[in-house]
Amino acid sequence: MRIDEAHYTGKDNAPVPTQEDRIAALERKVAMLELLRSQDERKAEEAIPPAQTRHMKEINENLTILLGVTSSQGGDIKVIKADVSSIKDRLDRLETQSTEQSGRFDHVEALLTQILARLPDKP
């Protein structure tokens, strides 16, 4: 921090860092933490036996494939649900029409029975 840019609190004449200085310090800390994290990851990778690393990669690949298949099937299930709903509506309409037709046939049958009852018997 440069003295000419510092602000003084007035209490103990200690300079208060400017916003630019505070941001720069924060950026340095973040960069240091990222460097430490990458070093820790590298050490962890080196500590794992190669066979285990290979198995972990296979597991990750299989999980990625499984995730893709699952998300694809989720879309398929939505389409199937919409189709089933449509089929259900159509079946309900067909059932209603069937009931109406059954009522009409019953009426026609009753009329035919009346007509046959009025016809003379054959000698």
Side-chain angles (χ1 to χ4, degrees), residues 2-3 14 17 23 37 42 51 53 68 72 94 107-108 116 122:
R2 296 185 300 243
I3 300 287
I23 291 172
R37 182 190 55 78
R42 195 170 33 256
T53 302
S72 172
L94 282 172
H107 180 69
V108 169
L116 287 174
K122 288 185 181 179

Side-chain angles (χ1 to χ4, degrees), residues 58-101:
E58 285 180 23
I59 289 171
N60 284 335
E61 289 172 1
N62 289 336
L63 282 175
T64 302
I65 292 168
L66 184 60
L67 179 62
V69 169
T70 304
S71 64
S72 172
Q73 287 179 345
D76 293 344
I77 289 171
K78 287 181 183 178
V79 170
I80 290 169
K81 286 175 82 174
D83 289 348
V84 166
S85 177
S86 173
I87 291 170
K88 189 175 181 181
D89 291 342
R90 292 173 73 184
L91 283 174
D92 288 343
R93 284 195 307 267
L94 282 172
E95 186 177 345
T96 302
Q97 289 174 353
S98 173
T99 303
E100 291 172 359
Q101 293 297 329

Side-chain angles (χ1 to χ4, degrees), residues 106-118:
D106 289 343
H107 180 69
V108 169
E109 186 178 11
L111 288 174
L112 285 174
T113 303
Q114 289 175 5
I115 292 170
L116 287 174
R118 292 181 186 169

